[in-house]
PDB file of all heavy atoms in Angstrom:
ATOM      1  N   PRO A 645      57.908-138.785 -39.283  1.00  0.00           N
ATOM      2  CA  PRO A 645      58.185-138.282 -37.927  1.00  0.00           C
ATOM      3  C   PRO A 645      57.057-138.634 -36.980  1.00  0.00           C
ATOM      4  O   PRO A 645      55.927-138.619 -37.420  1.00  0.00           O
ATOM      5  CB  PRO A 645      58.389-136.781 -38.142  1.00  0.00           C
ATOM      6  CG  PRO A 645      58.300-136.568 -39.573  1.00  0.00           C
ATOM      7  CD  PRO A 645      57.683-137.702 -40.240  1.00  0.00           C
ATOM      8  N   ILE A 646      57.406-138.959 -35.697  1.00  0.00           N
ATOM      9  CA  ILE A 646      56.385-139.360 -34.793  1.00  0.00           C
ATOM     10  C   ILE A 646      55.945-138.176 -33.876  1.00  0.00           C
ATOM     11  O   ILE A 646      56.778-137.713 -33.168  1.00  0.00           O
ATOM     12  CB  ILE A 646      56.895-140.536 -33.889  1.00  0.00           C
ATOM     13  CG1 ILE A 646      57.274-141.741 -34.744  1.00  0.00           C
ATOM     14  CG2 ILE A 646      55.877-140.901 -32.881  1.00  0.00           C
ATOM     15  CD1 ILE A 646      57.910-142.875 -34.015  1.00  0.00           C
ATOM     16  N   PRO A 647      54.726-137.703 -34.022  1.00  0.00           N
ATOM     17  CA  PRO A 647      54.273-136.645 -33.167  1.00  0.00           C
ATOM     18  C   PRO A 647      53.880-137.098 -31.793  1.00  0.00           C
ATOM     19  O   PRO A 647      53.954-138.286 -31.511  1.00  0.00           O
ATOM     20  CB  PRO A 647      53.082-136.123 -33.966  1.00  0.00           C
ATOM     21  CG  PRO A 647      52.484-137.304 -34.616  1.00  0.00           C
ATOM     22  CD  PRO A 647      53.695-138.219 -34.909  1.00  0.00           C
ATOM     23  N   GLU A 648      53.450-136.203 -30.882  1.00  0.00           N
ATOM     24  CA  GLU A 648      53.063-136.588 -29.611  1.00  0.00           C
ATOM     25  C   GLU A 648      51.591-136.956 -29.575  1.00  0.00           C
ATOM     26  O   GLU A 648      50.760-136.206 -29.196  1.00  0.00           O
ATOM     27  CB  GLU A 648      53.429-135.488 -28.593  1.00  0.00           C
ATOM     28  CG  GLU A 648      54.928-135.280 -28.555  1.00  0.00           C
ATOM     29  CD  GLU A 648      55.462-134.467 -27.373  1.00  0.00           C
ATOM     30  OE1 GLU A 648      55.678-135.048 -26.274  1.00  0.00           O
ATOM     31  OE2 GLU A 648      55.680-133.273 -27.558  1.00  0.00           O
ATOM     32  N   GLY A 649      51.329-138.143 -30.013  1.00  0.00           N
ATOM     33  CA  GLY A 649      50.028-138.786 -29.844  1.00  0.00           C
ATOM     34  C   GLY A 649      49.039-138.524 -30.969  1.00  0.00           C
ATOM     35  O   GLY A 649      48.462-139.408 -31.534  1.00  0.00           O
ATOM     36  N   TYR A 650      48.809-137.263 -31.290  1.00  0.00           N
ATOM     37  CA  TYR A 650      47.842-136.908 -32.278  1.00  0.00           C
ATOM     38  C   TYR A 650      48.581-136.140 -33.406  1.00  0.00           C
ATOM     39  O   TYR A 650      49.608-135.508 -33.212  1.00  0.00           O
ATOM     40  CB  TYR A 650      46.738-136.030 -31.688  1.00  0.00           C
ATOM     41  CG  TYR A 650      45.867-136.799 -30.755  1.00  0.00           C
ATOM     42  CD1 TYR A 650      46.219-137.035 -29.404  1.00  0.00           C
ATOM     43  CD2 TYR A 650      44.643-137.342 -31.199  1.00  0.00           C
ATOM     44  CE1 TYR A 650      45.449-137.693 -28.519  1.00  0.00           C
ATOM     45  CE2 TYR A 650      43.826-138.040 -30.301  1.00  0.00           C
ATOM     46  CZ  TYR A 650      44.210-138.252 -29.011  1.00  0.00           C
ATOM     47  OH  TYR A 650      43.390-138.981 -28.178  1.00  0.00           O
ATOM     48  N   ALA A 651      47.935-136.140 -34.651  1.00  0.00           N
ATOM     49  CA  ALA A 651      48.539-135.407 -35.777  1.00  0.00           C
ATOM     50  C   ALA A 651      47.489-134.991 -36.738  1.00  0.00           C
ATOM     51  O   ALA A 651      46.395-135.629 -36.766  1.00  0.00           O
ATOM     52  CB  ALA A 651      49.605-136.300 -36.444  1.00  0.00           C
ATOM     53  N   GLU A 652      47.785-133.958 -37.528  1.00  0.00           N
ATOM     54  CA  GLU A 652      46.940-133.573 -38.667  1.00  0.00           C
ATOM     55  C   GLU A 652      47.109-134.654 -39.753  1.00  0.00           C
ATOM     56  O   GLU A 652      48.245-134.985 -40.092  1.00  0.00           O
ATOM     57  CB  GLU A 652      47.472-132.284 -39.215  1.00  0.00           C
ATOM     58  CG  GLU A 652      47.128-131.035 -38.417  1.00  0.00           C
ATOM     59  CD  GLU A 652      45.672-130.620 -38.667  1.00  0.00           C
ATOM     60  OE1 GLU A 652      45.416-130.158 -39.730  1.00  0.00           O
ATOM     61  OE2 GLU A 652      44.891-130.731 -37.715  1.00  0.00           O
TER      62      GLU A 652
END
Side-chain angles (χ1 to χ4, degrees):
I646 299 174
E648 297 193 84
Y650 290 83
E652 284 279 293

